[in-house]
């Protein structure tokens, strides 16, 4: 038992049963609160704000909206304003001020179909450059929005005329290390992963991992892109080393089979970019650590640089419920604290110990 | 093997064709098997329960796989989340207290954040992305194996084939194919951040974040990037930690002067920062400033005497220094005398220096080194003994003896200290002390040959010195048996000796304290046989009168008595007349004296009457003439 206690332990600190289906949960930055977004059985959307008080969750506010809400992010607001950007089942993007949630700060009908995924960059002191929001939808398009520009997206990544649309299931920002550079990575249901470069307005890289891509995430948004994790439908996830791009082979990657079911989410620890957690369809969470190889680049036959992927170690795994864990979010203020929501209509606050010795 | 598989496939149609034969589900087989894949199959078969439920065998198989490959996927188990019960009370208290502290802290922060006026939030935000750009993506899946089926055109399509348009299409598709733009090697990270519109709190938070980014880059080996992020952090809010880390990254990039500047800055902020001192020492070393490097390392050791890195670097430095001052002579001294005990490392360092110097013959410098050692640790016995050795070689025996004394105070049974003190005493010609020390050594350890040899030497010297000093009459000991040494002790206390040339025979000497008639008799006989009047006289002189009858006792015969009388006559009469009288009085009480008197020859009788006559003439208070007359009558 002593040897297992030296590994990080995942403690189920607080669990709360909700009366609605919860799709996403996010920490409010610089506070001990988080928001849960979902839909009531009656078909309306809900945003609930909870605060941790003495080991209990207190409901601070409940906001009901017309359409069910699928996803949300705080990524594009300033630390003081902390506006929540949400995408709903109807394809609308709204930015809310949680103090005055009656009227959105910014609203646009972003897509024709449900917004599956949303991400923000440029706010909260993360990433230089303009604060932007990216949305990916079932209509196959990925659009980047700036709250200063009404009605039209800043960038629109869409399939060519006549091509079949593939659902975009996930989007992520990355490579935002200075004012101009920025990349958007999108994962589709047929296994495509595409990397768009917003500086050059071009498609930088694409690959196919054969199974639908449930979630992509860069390890840090605001550095020269280092690693990208993409999770898939059939229990696998891939870690790409994004430092060295080979002209034909693309990025080096290592893949790992886990969960024995869909891997729904991947989230990197904000305090350590080499530690990440994956959430599975069997209600389990796996905590991983990436180890870099001795040499991150090597020369191939034609003396062109190509990347070398490292290895992934399983640190800990727990089974929380029988239903898939749909969302996971690490607290940016406290290392090891995270909130996860699952389809058994409950939200859990977890504490992961011993992460500083990992 | 395949037949067995086929057979098992027939028997249990549900199982896969790669099923494990039943014979393999066995302890000995699993133990001997080292093929990981097969073991995993075995484990799956066991777990599936198709052949039955064998928990111990399953566990055994798992353990075996774990030994071979701890990271094997089959070993992953489903765990329950940890709860209060899985921690000790202490740990759980820590965790919950930590969380509560954090909660309250966050509430405060949030309140503070809300109080700030909103308009301060306006900062120069970069403009909206100018072009309303749309990136057209071709959703053709990139097949790694490249098996995109290319449907051939039907014949009718060929009729409609237009070369021009087709070429244009090809050109189009070329333009639309993805161009893999390889990023430039070094990203253009701005080294400074415009922080005019941020509060101190925000600046601190940002600075910390940049520092974290720098740390991560450092960990994965991107030192240039790390330096850039640390510079950003420092531009926001200069902190010792960020500067320190940047120094380390610069050292890895071998930019020594910049690293030096950073270390100086850190030490200005925090003068006692050990990491900064160590890094500065490294930078100095590579720039060639040996002295400053040395100073820095010594400063580290002052703060933290056990610092391993500093000691290692220091040793490397002194190694290189030592190589420079090579000595021509290479006299080999008894090396086993130099202690190599490991105690404190820095202290050990100085001691090693000293030892090396001893080996190479520079005793004075070695003394200095040992003195330094003692300043560090004044209770170190070995250093004292080593320094004593140096002093001995330098012929400074007093100091050597002092050091040995100190050493013996710390460790009373230290053989080396005793031995060296013996050497020192020999140098100071204090042979008695020397011998006692040597004897102590031999008591502790009989096998020390040097001690024995030295002892013999010293005893010899001692004899000679005693010969040269006249009034002290001591008996020379020429008997070479080991038992001598025990006797020697006794002899020191005052046996007289005469450089008797005549006496070549074995002469045993008698101690005053020996109340043994035998010994007295031996001595007397010896004296008589040699004709050694002096010895006899000495004996008589040293013996108490009362004891004389007993001592002489049965030995008394004519010759002996005659001899005694002669001795008394010649030697003692002048000096100790009372003694003579007493002796004679006592002698008279001896058994058989009358008998023996008859055996005296004429010469002796004459001498006896001479004695009495002289005694008559002597005027003392001890006896009167009457006594003398009485005694004379008795004898004659």
């Amino acid at each position: 038992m002593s040897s297992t206690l030296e590994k990080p332990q995942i403690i189920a600190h607080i669990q709360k049963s909700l009366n609605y289906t919860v799709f996403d949960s996010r920490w409010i930055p610089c506070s001990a609160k988080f928001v849960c977004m979902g839909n009531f059985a009656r078909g309306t959307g809900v945003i609930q704000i909870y605060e941790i008080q003495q080991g209990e969750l207190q409901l601070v506010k409940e906001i009901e909206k017309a359409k069910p809400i699928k996803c949300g992010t705080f990524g594009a607001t300033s630390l003081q304003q902390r506006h929540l950007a949400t995408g709903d089942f109807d394809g609308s993007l709204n930015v809310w001020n949680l103090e005055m949630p009656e009227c959105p700060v910014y609203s646009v009908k972003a897509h024709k179909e449900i917004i599956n995924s949303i991400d923000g960059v440029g706010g909260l002191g993360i990433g230089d450059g303009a604060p932007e929001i990216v949305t990916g939808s079932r209509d196959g398009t990925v659009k980047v929005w700036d709250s200063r520009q009404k009605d039209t997206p800043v960038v629109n990544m869409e399939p060519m005329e006549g091509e079949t649309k593939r659902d975009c299931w996930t989007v992520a920002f990355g490579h935002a290390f200075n004012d101009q550079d920025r990349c958007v990575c999108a994962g589709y249901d047929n296994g495509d992963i595409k990397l768009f470069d917003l500086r050059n307005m071009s498609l930088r890289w694409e690959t196919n991992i054969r199974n639908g891509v449930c979630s992509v995430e860069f390890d840090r948004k605001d550095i020269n892109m280092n690693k990208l994790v993409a999770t898939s439908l059939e229990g696998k996830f891939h870690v790409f080393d994004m430092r060295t791009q080979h002209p034909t082979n693309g990025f080096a990657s290592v893949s790992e089979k886990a969960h024995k079911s869909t891997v729904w989410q991947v989230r990197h620890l904000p305090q350590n970019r080499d530690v990440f957690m994956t959430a599975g369809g069997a209600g389990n969470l796996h905590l991983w650590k990436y180890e870099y190889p001795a040499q991150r680049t090597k020369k191939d036959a034609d003396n062109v640089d190509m990347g070398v992927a490292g290895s992934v170690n399983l640190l800990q795994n727990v089974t929380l419920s029988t239903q898939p864990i749909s969302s996971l979010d690490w607290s940016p203020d406290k290392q090891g604290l995270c909130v996860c929501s699952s389809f058994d209509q409950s939200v859990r606050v977890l504490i992961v110990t011993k992460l500083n010795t990992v | 093997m395949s037949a067995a598989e086929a057979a098992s496939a027939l028997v249990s149609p549900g199982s896969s064709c790669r099923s494990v034969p039943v014979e393999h589900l066995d302890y000995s087989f699993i133990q001997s098997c080292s093929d990981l894949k097969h073991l995993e199959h075995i484990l799956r078969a066991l777990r599936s329960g198709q052949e039955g439920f064998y928990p111990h065998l399953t566990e055994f198989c798992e353990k075996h796989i774990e030994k071979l490959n701890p990271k094997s996927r089959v070993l992953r188990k489903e765990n329950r989340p940890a709860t209060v019960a899985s921690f000790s009370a202490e740990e759980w208290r820590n965790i919950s207290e930590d969380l509560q502290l954090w909660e309250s802290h966050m509430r405060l922060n949030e309140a503070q954040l809300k109080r700030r006026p909103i308009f301060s939030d306006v900062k120069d935000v970069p403009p909206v992305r100018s072009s309303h750009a749309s990136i057209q993506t071709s959703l053709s899946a990139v097949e790694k194996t490249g098996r995109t089926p290319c449907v051939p055109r039907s014949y009718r399509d060929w009729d409609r084939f237009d070369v021009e348009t087709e070429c244009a299409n090809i050109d189009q598709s070329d333009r639309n194919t993805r161009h893999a733009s390889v990023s430039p090697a070094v990203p253009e990270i701005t080294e400074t951040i415009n922080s005019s519109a941020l509060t101190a709190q925000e600046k601190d938070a940002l600075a910390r974040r940049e520092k974290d980014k720098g740390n991560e880059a450092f960990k994965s080996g991107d030192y240039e990037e790390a330096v850039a992020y640390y510079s950003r952090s420092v531009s926001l809010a200069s902190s010792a930690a960020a500067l320190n880390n940047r120094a380390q990254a610069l050292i890895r990039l071998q930019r020594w002067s910049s690293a030096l500047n950073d270390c100086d800055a850190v030490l200005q902020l925090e003068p006692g920062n050990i990491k900064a001192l160590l890094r500065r020492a490294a930078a100095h070393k590579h720039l060639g400033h040996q002295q400053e490097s040395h100073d820095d390392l010594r400063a580290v050791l002052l703060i933290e005497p056990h610092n391993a890195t500093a000691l290692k670097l220091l040793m490397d430095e002194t190694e290189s220094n030592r190589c420079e001052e090579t000595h021509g002579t290479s006299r080999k001294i008894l090396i086993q005398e130099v202690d190599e005990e490991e105690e404190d490392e820095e202290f050990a360092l100085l001691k090693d220096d000293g030892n090396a110097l001893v080996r190479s013959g520079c005793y004075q410098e070695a003394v200095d080194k040992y003195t330094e050692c003692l300043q560090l640790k004044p209770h170190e016995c070995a250093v004292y003994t080593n320094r004593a050795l140096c002093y001995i070689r330098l012929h400074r025996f007093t100091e050597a003896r002092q050091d040995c004394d100190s050493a013996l105070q710390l460790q009373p049974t230290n053989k080396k200290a005793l031995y060296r003190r013996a050497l020192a005493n020999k140098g100071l010609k204090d042979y008695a002390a020397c011998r006692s020390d040597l004897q102590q050594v031999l008591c502790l350890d009989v096998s020390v040959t040097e001690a024995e040899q030295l002892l013999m030497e010293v005893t010899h010297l001692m004899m000679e010195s005693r010969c040269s000093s006249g009034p002290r009459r001591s008996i020379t000991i020429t008997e070479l048996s080991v038992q001598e040494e025990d006797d020697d002790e006794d002899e020191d206390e005052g046996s007289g000796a005469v450089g008797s040339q005549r006496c070549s025979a074995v002469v045993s000497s008698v101690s005053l304290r020996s109340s043994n008639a035998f010994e007295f008799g031996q001595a007397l006989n010896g004296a008589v046989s040699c004709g050694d009047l002096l010895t006899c006289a000495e004996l008589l002189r040293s013996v108490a009168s009362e004891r004389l009858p007993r001592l002489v006792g049965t030995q008394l015969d004519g010759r002996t008595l005659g001899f005694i009388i002669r001795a008394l006559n010649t030697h003692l009469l002048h000096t100790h007349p009372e003694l003579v009288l007493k002796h004679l009085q006592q002698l008279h009480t001896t058994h058989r004296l009358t008998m023996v008197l008859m055996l005296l020859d004429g010469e002796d009788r004459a001498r006896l009457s001479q004695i009495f006559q002289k005694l008559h003439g002597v005027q003392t208070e001890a006896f009167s003439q009457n006594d003398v007359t009485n005694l004379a009558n008795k004898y004659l």
Side-chain angles (χ1 to χ4, degrees):
Chain A
M1 185 64 177
S2 59
S3 63
T4 56
L5 279 184
E6 283 156 13
K7 294 197 294 182
Q9 298 289 312
I10 303 178
I11 308 168
H13 186 53
I14 311 169
Q15 174 169 335
K16 191 158 177 83
S17 258
L18 308 168
N19 56 350
Y20 58 93
T21 313
V22 53
F23 289 112
D24 202 0
S25 53
R26 292 279 183 177
W27 286 98
I28 301 179
C30 202
S31 75
K33 297 192 261 198
F34 61 89
V35 289
C36 293
M37 294 155 274
N39 69 332
F40 280 123
R42 49 184 174 266
T44 55
V46 59
I47 301 173
Q48 280 189 333
I49 304 172
Y50 286 97
E51 182 167 19
I52 302 179
Q53 282 180 6
Q54 273 98 38
E56 293 289 320
L57 285 181
Q58 302 289 337
L59 178 65
V60 171
K61 192 175 273 194
E62 181 172 308
I63 310 161
E64 192 167 342
K65 292 293 166 195
K67 295 285 179 205
I69 298 172
K70 180 70 168 60
C71 49
T73 179
F74 282 102
T77 66
S78 70
L79 207 57
Q80 208 210 2
Q81 287 176 332
R82 292 178 295 174
H83 295 162
L84 176 69
T86 60
D88 65 13
F89 274 44
D90 213 23
S92 310
L93 166 70
N94 295 308
V95 179
W96 309 97
N97 179 352
L98 294 169
E99 309 295 318
M100 293 173 296
E102 300 76 28
C103 193
V105 170
Y106 176 81
S107 172
V108 66
K109 178 93 165 79
H111 296 270
K112 299 186 205 79
E113 298 187 57
I114 178 175
I115 294 177
N116 278 321
S117 172
I118 193 169
D119 196 11
V121 75
L124 304 178
I126 299 173
D128 299 339
E132 285 171 344
I133 303 166
V134 64
T135 55
S137 156
R138 196 190 286 167
D139 65 2
T141 58
V142 175
K143 295 183 183 173
V144 180
W145 308 86
D146 188 318
S147 59
R148 293 166 290 176
Q149 180 168 295
K150 291 171 63 132
D151 298 331
T152 48
V154 171
V155 186
N156 183 0
M157 285 153 272
E158 57 192 359
M160 292 225 287
E161 303 288 333
E163 294 263 352
T164 42
K165 301 180 302 189
R166 310 295 335 192
D167 293 8
C168 173
W169 279 356
T170 175
V171 286
F173 267 119
H175 201 53
F177 62 91
N178 61 17
D179 286 359
Q180 289 90 40
D181 278 272
R182 207 159 279 183
C183 279
V184 170
C185 184
Y188 296 83
D189 69 339
N190 64 346
D192 281 343
I193 300 177
K194 293 177 197 282
L195 186 67
F196 303 103
D197 186 339
L198 297 186
R199 184 182 186 162
N200 306 327
M201 292 298 180
S202 63
L203 176 66
R204 185 156 158 179
W205 168 68
E206 66 176 335
T207 184
N208 188 298
I209 59 171
R210 305 228 181 276
N211 293 313
V213 183
C214 293
S215 173
V216 285
E217 203 194 32
F218 285 95
D219 57 354
R220 266 196 191 268
K221 287 183 204 171
D222 53 348
I223 57 171
N224 185 17
M225 49 182 191
N226 188 42
K227 290 200 314 291
L228 174 76
V229 180
T231 69
S232 74
L233 270 183
E234 288 183 16
K236 260 183 143 176
F237 66 89
H238 303 253
V239 182
F240 295 91
D241 182 321
M242 308 296 275
R243 277 297 160 89
T244 321
Q245 185 172 9
H246 191 265
T248 46
N249 297 347
F251 296 106
S253 77
V254 62
S255 74
E256 179 72 29
K257 202 158 164 59
H259 292 283
K260 299 183 190 148
S261 58
T262 308
V263 186
W264 281 72
Q265 278 276 339
V266 62
R267 287 280 180 254
H268 287 88
L269 187 64
Q271 293 86 4
N272 184 351
R273 72 181 185 188
D274 299 322
V275 173
F276 59 92
M277 185 112 91
T278 52
N284 44 12
L285 293 174
H286 282 58
L287 184 69
W288 305 91
K289 177 158 164 67
Y290 180 79
E291 307 273 349
Y292 292 98
Q295 289 285 340
R296 287 184 75 177
T297 62
K298 64 174 187 207
K299 301 275 189 196
D300 71 347
D302 304 320
N303 223 29
V304 180
D305 270 335
M306 60 187 278
V308 178
S311 61
V312 173
N313 296 333
L314 178 65
L315 293 175
Q316 185 61 270
N317 66 320
V318 287
T319 307
L320 291 175
S321 82
T322 52
Q323 298 293 324
I325 296 181
S326 52
S327 82
L328 183 62
D329 194 33
W330 293 101
S331 166
D333 303 303
K334 179 141 181 61
Q335 178 170 286
L337 190 65
C338 71
V339 63
C340 69
S341 65
S342 70
F343 285 143
D344 60 356
Q345 292 197 345
S346 65
V347 66
R348 290 174 181 83
V349 176
L350 310 171
I351 302 173
V352 183
T353 61
K354 297 201 179 71
L355 282 174
N356 41 357
T357 55
V358 140
Chain B
M1 194 60 190
S2 55
E5 277 179 31
S8 59
L10 278 173
V11 165
S12 45
S15 56
S16 71
C17 56
R18 257 184 291 162
S19 70
V20 174
V22 181
E23 300 86 56
H24 289 195
L25 303 180
D26 178 46
Y27 283 99
S28 45
F29 181 83
I30 290 171
Q31 182 71 38
S32 55
C33 181
S34 55
D35 176 15
L36 206 59
K37 278 250 170 284
H38 195 61
L39 280 170
E40 287 176 4
H41 285 311
I42 291 176
L43 189 60
R44 276 198 209 104
L46 282 171
R47 279 181 181 163
S48 70
Q50 278 182 337
E51 305 292 340
F53 183 54
Y54 306 108
H56 289 291
L57 188 58
T58 318
E59 216 180 293
F60 182 76
C61 192
E62 280 172 7
K63 284 211 182 78
H64 195 65
I65 292 178
E66 193 175 344
K67 262 185 279 175
L68 291 175
N69 177 16
K71 295 190 193 168
S72 171
R73 264 187 227 118
V74 295
L75 295 172
R76 290 188 194 154
K77 281 194 161 52
E78 302 214 334
N79 302 326
R80 319 231 57 219
T83 53
V84 189
S86 12
F87 293 93
S88 67
E90 166 91 33
E91 283 176 339
W92 183 253
R93 204 165 29 88
N94 282 345
I95 293 172
S96 49
E97 273 174 10
D98 195 34
L99 195 61
Q100 279 177 4
L101 261 174
W102 174 77
E103 279 173 40
S104 39
H105 185 66
M106 284 283 101
R107 261 193 285 271
L108 278 171
N109 273 2
E110 216 187 338
Q112 224 177 21
L113 208 55
K114 284 189 186 155
R115 259 183 272 126
R116 267 181 50 207
I118 294 185
F119 293 106
S120 70
D121 207 30
V122 173
K123 50 184 187 197
D124 355 45
V125 183
V128 182
R129 234 167 255 279
S130 49
S131 55
H132 167 79
S134 119
I135 306 175
Q136 302 272 321
T137 68
S138 64
L139 281 160
S140 56
V142 175
E143 307 265 342
K144 286 198 178 138
T145 54
R147 25 176 187 95
T148 340
C150 204
V151 180
R153 294 167 194 261
S154 62
Y155 268 85
R156 292 191 191 268
D157 289 343
W158 280 109
D159 294 338
R160 285 176 241 132
F161 186 75
D162 184 358
V163 181
E164 257 65 44
T165 41
E166 289 302 324
C167 291
N169 280 354
I170 290 172
D171 289 344
Q172 276 274 348
S173 59
D174 271 345
R175 233 178 288 136
N176 284 353
T177 49
R178 67 206 190 289
H179 47 278
S181 53
V182 185
S183 64
V186 179
E188 307 134 23
I189 307 175
T190 54
E191 296 256 325
T192 57
I193 302 176
N194 182 2
S195 57
S196 48
L198 301 170
T199 62
Q201 194 191 19
E202 277 182 345
K203 267 194 225 174
D204 276 336
L206 262 182
R208 242 177 295 128
R209 207 191 146 73
E210 294 295 325
K211 186 175 78 82
D212 286 339
K213 284 199 272 189
N215 290 346
E216 287 172 350
F218 188 92
K219 256 186 267 178
S220 72
D222 302 318
Y223 300 122
E224 290 281 359
E225 208 180 325
V227 168
Y229 285 125
Y230 290 133
S231 314
R232 277 160 72 98
S233 173
V234 166
S235 76
L236 276 174
S238 90
S239 71
L243 283 166
N244 224 351
N245 292 350
R246 191 168 71 170
Q248 180 70 341
L250 286 166
I251 285 176
R252 293 285 171 97
L253 289 169
Q254 304 196 339
R255 283 154 58 174
W256 311 115
S257 11
S258 332
L260 207 60
N261 292 339
D262 277 338
C263 292
D264 287 333
V266 175
L267 287 163
Q268 269 175 5
L269 287 172
E270 275 178 32
N273 194 310
I274 291 191
K275 280 186 193 160
L277 282 168
L278 282 171
R279 286 164 190 170
R280 198 167 69 170
H284 274 304
K285 194 166 106 165
H286 287 278
L287 284 171
H289 307 153
Q290 288 280 356
Q291 192 50 46
E292 286 95 333
S293 167
H294 234 90
D295 291 337
D296 279 332
L297 288 170
R298 291 216 184 273
V300 172
L301 288 167
L302 272 173
I303 304 173
E304 218 184 88
H306 295 270
N307 193 305
T309 354
L311 291 167
K312 189 172 150 313
L313 283 170
L314 208 56
M315 258 202 289
D316 293 340
E317 300 236 1
T318 48
E319 270 286 333
S320 54
N321 282 348
R322 238 181 279 146
C323 294
E324 287 162 20
E325 2 159 321
T326 46
H327 284 273
T329 62
S330 54
R331 271 185 296 153
K332 281 228 154 199
I333 318 296
L334 284 172
I335 293 170
Q336 78 260 24
E337 298 175 335
V338 180
D339 270 318
E340 297 278 331
E341 291 161 17
E342 276 279 48
E343 282 118 16
D344 188 17
E345 289 192 43
E346 121 95 302
F347 166 81
L349 212 65
L350 287 170
K351 212 170 86 168
D352 287 340
D353 288 348
N355 295 346
L357 286 164
V358 169
R359 268 180 242 137
S360 57
C362 327
Y363 295 119
Q364 188 51 55
E365 284 124 29
V367 165
D368 295 333
K369 279 280 173 201
Y370 289 135
T371 321
E372 259 182 89
C373 278
L374 286 168
Q375 279 165 7
L376 279 178
K377 266 194 173 185
H379 295 289
E380 219 36 67
C381 186
V383 183
Y384 281 113
T385 52
N386 290 354
R387 196 166 70 167
L389 175 69
C390 298
Y391 279 133
I392 287 171
R393 299 264 181 260
L394 293 166
H395 296 285
R396 284 150 67 173
F397 294 116
T398 333
E399 285 141 309
R401 190 160 72 172
Q402 276 171 2
D403 273 342
C404 291
D405 287 335
S406 333
L408 285 165
Q409 267 173 9
L410 295 166
Q411 265 186 38
T413 54
N414 191 317
K415 285 180 272 184
K416 284 185 180 133
L418 284 168
Y419 183 71
R420 285 167 194 174
R421 194 166 69 174
L423 284 172
N425 281 331
K426 177 163 164 256
L428 292 167
K429 302 205 191 307
D430 185 359
Y431 296 121
C434 176
R435 277 169 57 158
S436 66
D437 284 334
L438 289 169
Q439 266 130 23
Q440 278 189 45
V441 174
L442 288 165
C443 281
L444 291 169
D445 184 1
V446 187
S447 63
V448 181
T449 49
E450 292 120 355
E452 279 184 45
Q453 282 168 3
L454 193 61
L455 188 59
M456 284 194 266
E457 231 184 275
V458 167
T459 1
H460 195 83
L461 281 169
M462 219 165 71
M463 294 309 124
E464 283 173 13
S465 74
R466 282 183 186 165
C467 295
S468 53
S469 57
R472 276 216 72 192
R473 300 151 168 200
S474 46
I475 300 175
T476 48
I477 299 117
T478 54
E479 194 174 51
L480 291 172
S481 66
V482 179
Q483 296 153 346
E484 272 299 317
E485 305 202 335
D486 299 321
D487 287 354
D488 280 353
E489 239 105 49
D490 305 328
E491 274 154 39
D492 279 351
E493 266 73 49
S495 31
V498 152
S500 64
Q501 304 87 347
R502 280 187 295 159
C503 202
S504 57
V506 174
V507 176
S508 64
S509 55
V510 153
S511 76
L512 278 175
R513 286 181 248 122
S514 72
S515 51
N516 204 338
F518 172 72
E519 280 178 29
F520 186 89
Q522 289 279 25
L524 201 51
N525 270 342
V528 166
S529 54
C530 283
D532 194 353
L533 276 175
L534 206 56
T535 322
C536 188
E538 270 296 319
L539 272 173
L540 289 169
R541 191 163 52 87
S542 56
V543 148
S545 313
E546 294 82 17
R547 288 168 69 208
L548 200 54
R550 230 172 1 111
L551 286 174
V552 172
T554 52
Q555 293 288 338
L556 205 55
D557 64 339
R559 195 159 162 249
T560 319
L561 190 56
F563 204 77
I564 287 172
I565 289 166
R566 255 192 292 162
L568 284 173
N569 198 11
T570 47
H571 289 111
L572 285 180
L573 205 52
H574 305 287
T575 47
H576 300 287
E578 358 19 69
L579 195 59
V580 170
L581 192 69
K582 277 211 202 109
H583 274 337
L584 285 171
Q585 277 174 335
Q586 289 298 324
L587 261 178
H588 195 72
T589 60
T590 320
H591 277 326
R592 296 171 65 230
L593 185 76
T594 43
M595 199 58 185
V596 177
L597 272 174
M598 285 195 288
L599 296 171
L600 272 180
D601 60 357
E603 247 185 342
D604 291 344
R605 270 183 215 279
R607 278 200 205 104
L608 206 53
S609 43
Q610 258 185 2
I611 289 173
F612 283 130
Q613 273 172 7
K614 286 210 182 112
L615 280 174
H616 253 292
V618 173
Q619 299 280 344
T620 56
E621 297 117 19
F623 57 88
S624 64
Q625 289 200 350
N626 277 342
D627 294 342
V628 177
T629 323
N630 285 345
L631 202 57
N633 287 338
K634 281 188 202 160
Y635 269 95
L636 297 168

